[in-house]
């Protein structure tokens, strides 16, 4: 999740503000969310802007810079959230249920850590860890794309093919 949350903070060619400005120019609302076995990207934009938005999203995915200063800000937010969750009955109940249903060992990426484990992992997370994870796990893999509305499917397909071409699996 950390990498997914840092994706739009910069690429090799663009900084966070450039990306935000370009999404605004394209009238696009784009969200990145990660989980243990993949990443989801949601896009909302006007149909004629979809190819350009997809092109920018693929640039972000392929050349994310994952800035160290943004990681530190994100870690601070997570640490605060975990500390607050440890005293919230709803969060504690959700954690207990997640742990009860968790059948994966601690060394498996699908393992659901306790709030305390998450807090400790976040504190220990380094910029090098994030870069290593990105390099190791981000690539084409199993890509699924769906779109609804009025847009040029051939233009979107061309951008997808060009953007995913020769990116490591």
């Amino acid at each position: 999740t950390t990498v997914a949350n840092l994706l739009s903070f910069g690429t090799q060619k663009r900084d966070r503000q450039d990306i935000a400005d370009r999404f605004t120019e394209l009238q696009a609302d784009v969200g990145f969310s990660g989980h243990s076995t993949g990443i989801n990207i949601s896009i909302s934009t006007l149909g004629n802007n979809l190819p350009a938005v997809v092109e920018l999203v693929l640039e972000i995915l392929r050349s994310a810079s994952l800035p160290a200063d943004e990681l530190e800000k994100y870690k601070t937010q997570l640490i605060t959230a975990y500390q607050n969750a440890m005293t919230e009955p709803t969060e504690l109940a959700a954690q207990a249920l997640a742990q009860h249903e968790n059948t994966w060992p601690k060394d498996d990426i699908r393992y659901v850590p306790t709030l305390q484990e998450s807090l400790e992992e976040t504190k220990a997370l380094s910029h090098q860890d994030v870069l290593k994870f990105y390099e190791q796990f981000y690539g084409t893999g199993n890509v699924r794309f769906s779109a609804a509305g009025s847009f040029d499917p051939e233009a979107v397909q061309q951008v997808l093919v060009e953007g995913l071409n020769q990116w490591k699996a």
Side-chain angles (χ1 to χ4, degrees):
T1 2
T2 299
V3 172
N5 288 319
L6 296 175
L7 286 173
S8 63
F9 290 173
T11 69
Q12 305 305 318
K13 298 178 187 176
R14 301 173 191 265
D15 65 19
R16 182 180 189 173
Q17 191 60 54
D18 291 337
I19 292 170
D21 290 347
R22 183 67 176 138
F23 281 145
T24 299
E25 178 184 322
L26 293 169
Q27 298 174 308
D29 183 21
V30 178
F32 297 89
S33 62
H35 48 86
S36 62
T37 58
I39 182 168
N40 294 321
I41 302 154
S42 62
I43 299 171
S44 177
T45 190
L46 300 176
N48 57 335
N49 293 344
L50 186 57
V53 174
V54 170
E55 185 174 31
L56 179 54
V57 164
L58 290 172
E59 176 190 329
I60 291 167
L61 286 172
R62 289 188 69 158
S63 66
S65 60
L66 308 168
D69 60 331
E70 295 293 348
L71 172 62
E72 290 308 312
K73 292 176 195 173
Y74 180 68
K75 281 176 57 174
T76 300
Q77 292 171 350
L78 278 180
I79 289 167
T80 301
Y82 290 135
Q83 289 171 334
N84 289 339
M86 289 180 187
T87 62
E88 293 294 324
T90 304
E91 293 293 329
L92 293 172
Q95 179 65 51
L97 181 59
Q99 285 300 121
H100 177 72
E101 294 176 343
N102 182 17
T103 60
W104 304 106
K106 280 189 177 187
D107 62 348
D108 190 295
I109 195 164
R110 296 165 291 188
Y111 173 74
V112 178
T114 65
L115 291 170
Q116 184 63 41
E117 288 169 336
S118 294
L119 177 63
E120 291 167 9
E121 288 172 5
T122 300
K123 287 179 177 179
L125 184 65
S126 73
H127 187 237
Q128 192 60 35
D129 293 333
V130 171
L131 293 174
K132 183 179 175 184
F133 182 88
Y134 172 75
E135 184 60 35
Q136 185 175 359
F137 292 105
Y138 273 65
T140 56
N142 182 11
V143 176
R144 286 179 264 153
F145 180 88
S146 63
S150 177
F151 61 94
D152 180 354
E154 287 81 20
V156 173
Q157 182 176 5
Q158 181 180 354
V159 168
L160 284 167
V161 169
E162 290 173 5
L164 295 172
N165 188 28
Q166 297 181 1
W167 190 25
K168 69 176 177 73

